[in-house]
Amino acid sequence: MAFQPLHDRVLVRRVESEEKTKGGLIIPDTAKEKPAEGEVVAVGAGTRDEDGDRIAMDVKAGDRILFGKWSGTEVTLDGEELLIMKESDILGIIG
């Protein structure tokens, strides 16, 4: 993919949730919420501090993350729906 986020922005691909509940019930598409879990596709170089030095990003491409329900901006790149969000919108990395 020929897209590189700038500064502290992150490009994320949503990870689809399970089709069934733990009890075995199938969840129809109309009842599903958009997942708040994703995979980092690309990251920016990071922001700069007051002295002009780069602040390294805590996430990297390939990390599975959790983010807020209303985080990011939806974009379509190469026919795929992705999210662009700031690193501060990421709640955590799934180990």
Side-chain angles (χ1 to χ4, degrees):
M1 180 170 302
F3 181 83
Q4 179 65 38
L6 297 177
H7 307 295
D8 65 338
R9 289 182 176 78
V10 179
L11 186 66
V12 176
R13 177 183 300 117
R14 287 187 193 268
V15 175
E16 293 301 321
S17 59
E18 291 290 322
E19 299 288 326
K20 293 182 180 181
T21 64
K22 290 182 181 179
L25 298 174
I26 297 175
I27 304 170
D29 288 338
T30 55
K32 287 185 193 175
E33 290 188 20
K34 288 187 177 180
E37 185 177 327
E39 179 185 354
V40 176
V41 177
V43 297
T47 59
R48 294 190 182 270
D49 62 13
E50 293 85 23
D51 298 328
D53 298 325
R54 283 254 186 231
I55 301 172
M57 300 283 280
D58 291 328
V59 296
K60 61 186 179 309
D63 285 348
R64 281 181 74 97
I65 59 166
L66 289 176
F67 51 87
K69 188 174 185 176
W70 305 108
S71 299
T73 302
E74 294 183 357
V75 295
T76 302
L77 297 171
D78 297 335
E80 184 177 14
E81 289 187 18
L82 301 168
L83 288 169
I84 298 174
M85 66 181 67
K86 287 188 163 274
E87 185 182 34
S88 60
D89 292 337
I90 297 173
L91 303 175
I93 300 171
I94 300 172

